[in-house]
Protein backbone atom coordinates (compact mmCIF):
# COMPACT_ATOMS: atom_id res chain seq x y z
CA UNK A 1 0.00 0.00 0.00
CA UNK A 2 1.42 3.40 -1.00
CA UNK A 3 1.65 6.29 1.40
CA UNK A 4 -1.08 8.13 -0.51
CA UNK A 5 -3.49 5.23 -0.17
CA UNK A 6 -2.62 4.94 3.49
CA UNK A 7 -3.31 8.63 4.10
CA UNK A 8 -6.64 8.38 2.28
CA UNK A 9 -7.50 5.32 4.36
CA UNK A 10 -6.72 7.21 7.57
CA UNK A 11 -8.75 10.17 6.38
CA UNK A 12 -11.73 7.90 5.71
CA UNK A 13 -11.26 6.24 9.08
CA UNK A 14 -11.16 9.68 10.71
CA UNK A 15 -14.47 10.56 9.14
CA UNK A 16 -16.12 7.36 10.27
CA UNK A 17 -14.72 7.72 13.80
CA UNK A 18 -16.02 11.29 14.10
CA UNK A 19 -19.54 10.24 15.00
CA UNK A 20 -21.78 12.25 17.22
CA UNK A 21 -22.24 10.72 20.65
CA UNK A 22 -24.63 12.19 23.19
CA UNK A 23 -24.15 11.16 26.81
CA UNK A 24 -26.56 11.87 29.59
CA UNK A 25 -26.13 11.36 33.32
CA UNK A 26 -26.97 7.72 33.93
CA UNK A 27 -30.00 6.82 35.99
CA UNK A 28 -32.23 5.98 37.55
CA UNK A 29 -31.94 9.34 39.28
CA UNK A 30 -33.86 9.03 42.52
CA UNK A 31 -34.83 12.43 43.89
CA UNK A 32 -37.09 13.76 46.60
CA UNK A 33 -40.12 15.83 45.70
CA UNK A 34 -39.36 19.52 46.10
CA UNK A 35 -35.61 19.12 45.61
CA UNK A 36 -33.42 20.81 43.01
CA UNK A 37 -32.52 18.28 40.31
CA UNK A 38 -29.74 18.64 37.76
CA UNK A 39 -29.08 16.29 34.85
CA UNK A 40 -26.01 16.77 32.69
CA UNK A 41 -25.77 16.11 28.97
CA UNK A 42 -22.60 16.10 26.85
CA UNK A 43 -21.97 15.74 23.16
CA UNK A 44 -18.80 14.72 21.30
CA UNK A 45 -17.91 13.83 17.73
CA UNK A 46 -19.25 16.92 15.95
CA UNK A 47 -17.22 19.23 13.74
CA UNK A 48 -15.09 21.43 15.98
CA UNK A 49 -15.89 25.02 16.68
CA UNK A 50 -19.65 24.85 16.57
CA UNK A 51 -21.53 25.60 19.75
CA UNK A 52 -24.02 22.82 20.39
CA UNK A 53 -27.66 23.19 21.37
CA UNK A 54 -29.54 21.06 23.87
CA UNK A 55 -33.23 20.22 23.83
CA UNK A 56 -34.85 18.42 26.73
CA UNK A 57 -38.03 16.36 26.59
CA UNK A 58 -39.60 13.76 28.83
CA UNK A 59 -41.85 10.73 28.46
CA UNK A 60 -44.29 9.59 31.11
CA UNK A 61 -44.17 5.88 31.93
CA UNK A 62 -47.92 5.68 31.33
CA UNK A 63 -47.60 7.24 27.83
CA UNK A 64 -44.12 6.21 26.63
CA UNK A 65 -44.71 7.26 23.00
CA UNK A 66 -45.71 10.85 23.69
CA UNK A 67 -42.86 13.34 23.75
CA UNK A 68 -43.37 16.21 26.17
CA UNK A 69 -41.04 19.06 25.27
CA UNK A 70 -39.55 20.97 28.18
CA UNK A 71 -36.76 23.40 27.33
CA UNK A 72 -34.26 24.17 24.57
CA UNK A 73 -31.14 26.32 24.26
CA UNK A 74 -32.06 26.88 20.60
CA UNK A 75 -35.72 27.83 20.79
CA UNK A 76 -37.80 29.83 23.19
CA UNK A 77 -41.41 28.72 23.54
CA UNK A 78 -40.20 25.14 23.13
CA UNK A 79 -42.11 23.82 26.14
CA UNK A 80 -45.44 22.09 25.85
CA UNK A 81 -48.23 23.54 27.97
CA UNK A 82 -47.55 21.37 31.04
CA UNK A 83 -44.02 22.80 31.33
CA UNK A 84 -44.38 26.27 29.83
CA UNK A 85 -45.14 28.09 33.07
CA UNK A 86 -42.24 26.54 34.99
CA UNK A 87 -39.83 27.30 32.14
CA UNK A 88 -41.07 30.86 31.80
CA UNK A 89 -40.70 31.43 35.54
CA UNK A 90 -37.14 30.00 35.41
CA UNK A 91 -38.01 27.16 37.76
CA UNK A 92 -36.65 24.97 34.94
CA UNK A 93 -33.72 26.01 32.74
CA UNK A 94 -30.63 24.78 30.91
CA UNK A 95 -27.22 25.94 32.12
CA UNK A 96 -24.57 25.80 29.45
CA UNK A 97 -21.23 24.62 30.93
CA UNK A 98 -19.12 24.50 27.78
CA UNK A 99 -19.71 24.51 24.05
CA UNK A 100 -20.75 20.86 24.23
CA UNK A 101 -21.92 20.30 27.76
CA UNK A 102 -25.02 21.51 29.59
CA UNK A 103 -27.02 20.98 32.78
CA UNK A 104 -30.79 20.75 32.98
CA UNK A 105 -32.02 22.33 36.21
CA UNK A 106 -35.40 21.54 37.75
CA UNK A 107 -35.99 23.35 41.00
CA UNK A 108 -38.85 22.08 43.12
CA UNK A 109 -39.16 18.76 41.29
CA UNK A 110 -42.71 17.43 41.26
CA UNK A 111 -44.46 14.08 41.10
CA UNK A 112 -45.43 14.67 37.49
CA UNK A 113 -41.75 15.04 36.52
CA UNK A 114 -41.23 11.33 37.06
CA UNK A 115 -40.37 9.64 33.79
CA UNK A 116 -37.82 9.18 31.05
CA UNK A 117 -35.81 12.33 30.27
CA UNK A 118 -34.23 12.80 26.86
CA UNK A 119 -31.46 15.17 25.83
CA UNK A 120 -31.43 15.83 22.08
CA UNK A 121 -28.70 17.76 20.28
CA UNK A 122 -29.59 19.08 16.81
CA UNK A 123 -27.19 18.21 14.00
CA UNK A 124 -24.54 20.84 13.24
CA UNK A 125 -22.72 18.87 10.53
CA UNK A 126 -23.55 18.38 6.89
CA UNK A 127 -24.42 14.75 7.34
CA UNK A 128 -26.05 12.59 9.97
CA UNK A 129 -23.60 10.29 11.74
CA UNK A 130 -23.95 8.76 15.16
CA UNK A 131 -26.55 9.39 17.81
CA UNK A 132 -28.38 12.62 18.56
CA UNK A 133 -30.03 11.91 21.87
CA UNK A 134 -29.68 9.99 25.12
CA UNK A 135 -32.15 9.13 27.86
CA UNK A 136 -32.22 8.67 31.60
CA UNK A 137 -34.93 7.89 34.15
CA UNK A 138 -35.95 10.24 36.92
CA UNK A 139 -37.91 8.69 39.75
CA UNK A 140 -39.17 10.11 42.96
CA UNK A 141 -38.87 9.19 46.56
CA UNK A 142 -41.22 10.45 49.20
CA UNK A 143 -39.49 11.72 52.30
CA UNK A 144 -42.28 10.29 54.46
CA UNK A 145 -42.81 6.88 52.95
CA UNK A 146 -39.49 5.99 51.28
CA UNK A 147 -41.04 4.60 48.17
CA UNK A 148 -41.57 5.86 44.68
CA UNK A 149 -44.73 7.82 45.18
CA UNK A 150 -43.28 11.24 44.28
C1 LIG B 1 -19.68 16.18 30.85
O1 LIG B 1 -19.22 17.52 30.87
C2 LIG B 1 -18.93 18.02 32.17
C3 LIG B 1 -18.55 19.48 32.04
O2 LIG B 1 -17.67 19.71 30.97
C4 LIG B 1 -17.85 17.19 32.81
O3 LIG B 1 -17.62 17.62 34.12
C5 LIG B 1 -18.28 15.73 32.83
O4 LIG B 1 -17.25 14.92 33.34
C6 LIG B 1 -18.64 15.27 31.44
N1 LIG B 1 -19.10 13.89 31.51
C7 LIG B 1 -18.65 12.95 30.67
C8 LIG B 1 -19.17 11.59 30.88
O5 LIG B 1 -17.87 13.21 29.78
C1 LIG C 1 -36.23 3.62 32.28
O1 LIG C 1 -37.11 2.85 33.08
C2 LIG C 1 -37.87 1.91 32.33
C3 LIG C 1 -38.86 1.27 33.29
O2 LIG C 1 -38.23 0.80 34.44
C4 LIG C 1 -36.91 0.91 31.69
O3 LIG C 1 -37.65 -0.02 30.94
C5 LIG C 1 -35.97 1.65 30.78
O4 LIG C 1 -35.02 0.77 30.24
C6 LIG C 1 -35.24 2.76 31.53
N1 LIG C 1 -34.46 3.55 30.57
C7 LIG C 1 -33.25 4.02 30.81
C8 LIG C 1 -32.62 4.83 29.73
O5 LIG C 1 -32.66 3.83 31.86
Amino acid sequence: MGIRTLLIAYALLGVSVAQRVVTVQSGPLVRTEGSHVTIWCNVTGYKDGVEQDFEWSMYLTSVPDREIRIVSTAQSNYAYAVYAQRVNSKEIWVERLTRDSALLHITNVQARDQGLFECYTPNTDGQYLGSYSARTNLTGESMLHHKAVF
Side-chain angles (χ1 to χ4, degrees), residues 23 40 42 97-98 101:
T23 314
W40 60 254
N42 294 357
L97 299 175
T98 65
S101 172

Side-chain angles (χ1 to χ4, degrees), residues 133-150:
S133 65
R135 295 173 163 193
T136 193
N137 278 310
L138 176 67
T139 66
E141 176 174 344
S142 159
M143 269 194 289
L144 295 174
H145 305 295
H146 291 286
K147 57 180 182 179
V149 294
F150 213 39

